[in-house]
């Protein structure tokens, strides 16, 4: 099939390895450097809190299906805190046995447009590995993760903390079907940060796909 022949060879025609904006050297969104921030947290024994996308209502965006009083009940918790709240004894994992479209389901937020795009991403493993750096884990934990998106001819690296919005003990948005895998929830948070504020006009799979696959076209 023609699709499978694209891979990153297309990108290499545009970028020399190591050039800013290339797969190996993405531009830091908001001038945040993932490696530097993570190393600082590990050195100081602290967990990362993203001041540029704080874990509060400011980062929820426009949720028309959620009343203001219900929005006020939203808690921001880290993955292990979520599992404890749900009486799940498993340890939180970033990704388990590879990424699949069967890993996740939609939450209370109407974001099927996002899930459709991510489902498509799981069929392109080489691109998935660029968007979702799969070496990440909860070992040597610092509360920080990162993801990459393609925009305006370059790769951009987006850093997030791992505070996630919870309502009634359940993740407000996309969640793992197994309950303890968090790569999709954190990817969605990174995309929300990257696209804030997300206009209703962007609530279509093709808009997300552009940010993930545009370099192929």
């Amino acid at each position: 099939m023609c699709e499978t022949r694209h891979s990153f060879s297309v990108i290499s025609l545009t970028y020399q390895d190591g050039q800013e904006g290339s797969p190996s050297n993405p531009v830091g969104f908001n001038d945040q450097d993932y490696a530097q921030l993570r190393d600082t947290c590990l050195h100081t024994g602290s967990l990362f809190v993203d001041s540029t996308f704080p874990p509060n209502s400011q980062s929820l965006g426009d949720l028309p299906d959620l009343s203001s009083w219900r929005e006020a009940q939203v808690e921001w918790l880290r993955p292990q805190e979520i599992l404890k709240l749900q009486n799940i004894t498993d340890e939180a994992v970033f990704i388990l046995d590879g990424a699949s479209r069967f890993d996740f389901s939609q939450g209370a937020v109407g974001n099927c447009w996002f899930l459709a795009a991510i489902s498509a991403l799981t069929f392109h493993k080489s691109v998935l590995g660029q968007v979702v750096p799969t070496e990440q884990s909860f070992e040597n934990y610092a509360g920080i993760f990162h993801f990459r998106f393609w925009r305006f001819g370059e790769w951009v690296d987006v850093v997030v903390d791992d505070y996630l919005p919870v309502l009634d003990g359940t993740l407000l948005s996309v969640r793992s079907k197994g309950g303890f895998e968090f790569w999709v929830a954190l990817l969605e948070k990174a995309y929300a940060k990257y696209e804030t504020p997300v206009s209703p006009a962007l609530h279509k799979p093709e808009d997300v796909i552009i940010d993930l696959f545009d370099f192929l076209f």
Side-chain angles (χ1 to χ4, degrees):
M1 295 174 60
C2 294
E3 285 181 282
T4 60
R5 296 177 62 86
H6 288 300
S7 190
F8 292 129
S9 60
V10 178
I11 301 176
S12 65
L13 296 176
T14 305
Y15 288 103
Q16 294 181 354
D17 187 43
Q19 180 181 339
E20 187 175 47
S22 67
S24 63
N25 186 22
V27 176
F29 187 67
N30 286 346
D31 293 321
Q32 290 178 303
D33 185 302
Y34 166 74
Q36 184 178 38
L37 290 169
R38 185 174 185 275
D39 286 348
T40 298
C41 288
L42 291 174
H43 180 73
T44 59
S46 59
L47 297 180
F48 179 64
V49 180
D50 188 1
S51 61
T52 71
F53 198 67
N56 57 37
S57 59
Q58 175 185 334
S59 300
L60 282 179
D62 182 23
L63 299 176
D65 296 331
L66 202 65
S67 64
S68 57
W69 73 270
R70 286 291 282 162
E71 186 173 319
Q73 295 177 309
V74 173
E75 299 178 88
W76 291 80
L77 303 174
R78 297 190 188 267
Q80 203 58 49
E81 295 172 326
I82 295 171
L83 297 185
K84 183 178 180 179
L85 181 66
Q86 297 173 344
N87 295 315
I88 296 176
T89 57
D90 295 287
E91 294 292 319
V93 298
F94 180 70
I95 195 166
L96 182 67
D97 298 329
S100 164
R101 69 187 187 282
F102 302 113
D103 286 347
F104 49 86
S105 59
Q106 185 174 327
V109 175
N111 62 347
C112 57
W113 51 274
F114 179 80
L115 299 190
I118 300 308
S119 294
L121 178 64
T122 63
F123 287 100
H124 298 263
K125 299 303 183 185
S126 60
V127 183
L128 176 68
Q130 178 64 21
V131 174
V132 183
T134 55
E135 76 281 357
Q136 300 180 94
S137 74
F138 286 88
E139 297 179 7
N140 294 318
Y141 176 63
I144 183 172
F145 294 86
H146 69 130
F147 301 86
R148 301 175 184 132
F149 304 104
W150 175 262
R151 176 60 63 87
F152 303 131
E154 62 186 11
W155 284 100
V156 178
D157 193 65
V158 180
V159 170
V160 290
D161 62 38
D162 63 349
Y163 277 107
L164 296 167
V166 174
L167 184 62
D168 298 332
T170 304
L171 279 170
L172 183 63
S173 194
V174 61
R175 74 281 306 266
S176 160
K177 289 183 179 179
F180 55 91
E181 193 174 11
F182 286 92
W183 73 270
V184 179
L186 292 168
L187 171 61
E188 182 183 41
K189 180 175 184 177
Y191 190 74
K193 173 181 176 178
Y194 186 55
E195 287 289 356
T196 299
V198 178
S199 162
L202 290 178
H203 289 181
K204 296 178 292 184
E206 56 264 36
D207 297 303
V208 188
I209 286 172
I210 287 173
D211 293 326
L212 302 177
F213 297 103
D214 193 43
F215 64 87
L216 296 179
F217 304 102

